[in-house]
């Protein structure tokens, strides 16, 4: 699993995020995945029998480690970093890195630090007031392969977190059907 960390998490951290061309993307299947405003977990679950989450990293970063754009989207504070690989029927589909400000991990949201193998989307979208904004996309070359990625901000009880997701080569986003 350290291979994912070395290759895919670092690719996500170096991505050049850009605003999507909504009009053009909205009509495509790839666009439906990239622009999904509700739970990505739900969308992936619909494509397999068993969706599993493996946590490959969980650590704190102080505010000086955030990039300018991360600071603009989250504010200027220390964060918890959660890195996972999601697999559909044992096939790795998605690598995700989430920055959760410490100021989000308060009161009802304290449990987000201890989700373990519970998918983040399952927890967040359980809450009626959950929403997603600031969707950006990127195309990343990992190991010579061009892969799609997106970054978006999730809000729960008006507290933000920033989720970056890299679609691995066997992810349903690349399949013709489904
Ligand atoms: C996570 O559990 O951290 C997670 C799950 C699904 C995603 C992104 C992050 O699409």
């Amino acid at each position: 699993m350290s291979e994912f960390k070395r290759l895919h998490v670092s690719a996500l951290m170096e991505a050049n995020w850009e605003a999507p061309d909504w009009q053009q993307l909205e009509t495509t299947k790839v666009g439906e995945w990239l622009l999904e405003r509700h739970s990505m977990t739900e969308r992936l679950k619909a494509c397999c029998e068993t969706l599993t989450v493996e946590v490959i990293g969980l650590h704190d970063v102080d505010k000086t480690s955030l990039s300018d754009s991360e600071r603009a989207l989250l504010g200027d504070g220390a964060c918890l970093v959660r890195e996972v690989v999601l697999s559909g029927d044992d096939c790795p589909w998605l690598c995700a890195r989430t920055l959760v400000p410490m100021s989000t991990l308060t009161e009802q949201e304290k449990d987000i630090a201890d989700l373990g193998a519970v998918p983040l989307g399952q927890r967040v979208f359980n809450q009626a007031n959950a929403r997603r904004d600031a969707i950006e996309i990127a195309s990343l070359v990992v190991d010579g392969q061009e892969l799609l990625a997106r970054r978006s901000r999730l809000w729960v009880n008006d507290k933000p977190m920033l989720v970056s997701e890299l679609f691995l080569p066997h992810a349903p986003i690349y399949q013709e059907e489904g």
Side-chain angles (χ1 to χ4, degrees):
M1 203 45 82
S2 59
E3 191 68 359
F4 277 112
K5 208 166 159 81
R6 188 175 67 76
L7 282 176
H8 299 88
V9 175
S10 34
L12 273 175
M13 290 173 73
E14 285 156 23
N16 216 338
W17 301 108
E18 289 181 348
D21 180 343
W22 287 83
Q23 263 191 338
Q24 193 243 316
L25 270 179
E26 253 168 357
T27 58
T28 66
K29 192 176 157 279
V30 161
E32 279 176 26
W33 281 94
L34 292 174
L35 304 177
E36 171 67 63
R37 280 194 183 272
H38 196 69
S39 168
M40 184 61 71
T41 301
E42 283 305 308
R43 190 172 261 273
L44 291 169
K45 268 188 183 167
C47 301
C48 62
E49 298 272 317
T50 315
L51 189 75
T52 48
V53 176
E54 181 169 358
V55 180
I56 58 169
L58 194 67
H59 58 273
D60 298 348
V61 289
D62 67 33
K63 61 181 181 181
T64 58
S65 319
L66 301 183
S67 69
D68 289 347
S69 67
E70 287 167 346
R71 223 170 278 142
L73 288 159
L74 290 177
D76 197 13
C79 290
L80 174 74
V81 184
R82 170 178 161 93
E83 294 158 345
V84 302
V85 173
L86 265 77
S87 298
D89 298 333
D90 287 332
C91 180
W93 277 353
L94 188 114
C95 179
R97 177 175 189 265
T98 304
L99 285 169
V100 191
M102 295 305 171
S103 53
T104 292
L105 294 170
T106 55
E107 299 171 0
Q108 282 180 67
E109 277 61 58
K110 278 188 184 145
D111 66 300
I112 291 177
D114 306 311
L115 284 181
V118 174
L120 180 71
Q122 188 171 308
R123 159 64 179 84
V124 167
F125 286 100
N126 240 343
Q127 212 125 331
N129 62 10
R131 63 195 163 88
R132 189 192 300 276
D133 69 2
I135 299 178
E136 295 168 295
I137 59 173
S139 168
L140 310 180
V141 178
V142 184
D143 235 2
Q145 250 179 321
E146 194 170 335
L147 300 176
L148 294 166
R150 73 164 190 173
R151 182 171 79 172
S152 61
R153 184 170 50 183
L154 283 179
W155 294 91
V156 60
N157 281 325
D158 293 321
K159 295 185 285 187
M161 61 195 95
L162 192 63
V163 188
S164 305
E165 294 158 316
L166 174 61
F167 294 90
L168 301 173
H170 297 291
I173 190 173
Y174 304 112
Q175 283 158 20
E176 288 294 315
E177 284 151 50

